[in-house]
Amino acid sequence: MTDPKYAKDTDNGRYYTDPTGGPDLVSVTNVLSVGVAKHAIPPWAVKLTAEWVLEHRIEVARRATTDREQLLKDIKAVHRNASDKAKNLGSRIHHRAHMMALEAPYPEDPEVDPYARQLVLFWQRWDVDLAEDILAAEMTFLHRRLGYAGTGDVVMLLRTSWRRIRGRRAKQSWLVDYKTSATRPASSVYPEYTLQLAALRYAETVLLPDDTEQPVPAVQRTGILNLRSRSHALVPMPGNRRAHRAFRGALETTKWLHAAPTTYPALLPPAAEQQPTRKAA
């Protein structure tokens, strides 16, 4: 996802500034990072680090005795560096997708091209008319009463209804979020994606690029469009009211953790003079 206009990084992660001057709003992705267990990250980080150590085993053996402190720092940074690289590529892919949806010019980026070709294939196979079927792209969704905000990738029309018009399936409005990966299959998703989609779908309002606001577009279905370098897949996910209630639980957990003190005073034993003396005993 590209960097939203009103998003900012804080000591407690990403928040959104309310353009009307209200309190800051915690980002949806921040809630998912803090209030929902990220089951996939620890195994991925361990696997990546172990593979790096094996691939550099001779260097690791040599530096273990000559440069131990720096070696430990380098090993600890392996998964962070890989994560930062993946996030950077994902942001560039999201930006390209946004520009392509608007039929606007975009910078050359060979690393992004394979993913962009998969997006074009998706549009072609689903008979997407960019002028008519892309209803909105890169909108900021706000829920001031609950105190959160997030950015949605695209609201679009797809021919997925069982109802037919002149022999063709009728169109339904979809809230779709792009997900990218260099390793995971195109069909794979994480359950917390449902919470993300529900949070956006049931926001109070959306903020347009010109800073005007309007009601959240009517959404009939929600899903993830996985973009890979050689494949893609649209995965429907139930971003419904039940999922939104679950998100609200994670939201409250996140707010509590962000506001909680980081230290608590220790309980001290009674003062020495309050202890019975030997004579009194």
Side-chain angles (χ1 to χ4, degrees), residues 125-137:
R125 291 171 179 174
W126 285 89
D127 193 25
V128 174
D129 185 321
L130 297 182
E132 295 184 2
D133 296 335
I134 303 295
L135 304 183

Side-chain angles (χ1 to χ4, degrees), residues 182-210:
T183 57
R184 299 187 68 220
S187 60
S188 62
V189 293
Y190 292 123
E192 57 263 30
Y193 293 167
T194 299
L195 306 186
Q196 177 186 2
L197 293 165
L200 301 180
R201 180 179 186 178
Y202 296 112
E204 292 178 322
T205 186
V206 292
L207 186 66
L208 302 181
D210 61 0

Side-chain angles (χ1 to χ4, degrees), residues 1-5 93-104 119 123 128 130-141 150-157 174-178 200 206-212 214-215 217 219:
M1 182 176 293
T2 55
D3 291 329
K5 179 178 180 180
I93 294 170
H94 275 77
H95 178 70
R96 172 76 70 88
H98 180 52
M99 293 295 100
M100 290 169 60
L102 299 179
E103 299 184 274
L119 179 58
W123 286 336
V128 174
L130 297 182
E132 295 184 2
D133 296 335
I134 303 295
L135 304 183
E138 287 288 333
M139 293 185 301
T140 297
F141 293 71
T151 300
D153 288 334
V154 65
V155 178
M156 62 192 306
L157 298 176
W174 282 72
L175 171 61
V176 174
D177 194 74
Y178 305 130
L200 301 180
V206 292
L207 186 66
L208 302 181
D210 61 0
D211 290 347
T212 60
Q214 68 177 32
V219 171

Side-chain angles (χ1 to χ4, degrees), residues 8-16 25-27 30 34 258:
K8 63 179 182 180
D9 292 327
T10 73
D11 292 340
N12 287 320
R14 172 173 283 188
Y15 272 72
Y16 282 76
L25 307 168
V26 62
S27 81
N30 193 347
V34 175
H258 285 176

Side-chain angles (χ1 to χ4, degrees), residues 29-64:
T29 53
N30 193 347
V31 172
L32 299 182
S33 297
V34 175
V36 179
K38 307 298 284 185
H39 54 275
I41 292 181
W44 169 83
V46 171
K47 178 177 181 292
L48 197 69
T49 302
E51 289 176 345
W52 186 91
V53 170
L54 290 177
E55 291 172 0
H56 298 80
R57 56 190 178 277
I58 297 177
E59 175 189 351
V60 169
R62 175 180 56 80
R63 294 177 60 190

Side-chain angles (χ1 to χ4, degrees), residues 212-246:
T212 60
E213 292 188 28
Q214 68 177 32
V216 175
V219 171
Q220 295 171 286
R221 301 184 68 175
T222 59
I224 297 297
L225 177 55
N226 282 324
L227 295 174
R228 307 295 187 253
S229 61
R230 296 184 179 181
S231 63
H232 66 269
L234 175 65
V235 184
M237 303 199 75
N240 50 31
R241 288 290 184 182
R242 183 180 180 186
H244 191 239
R245 288 194 296 271

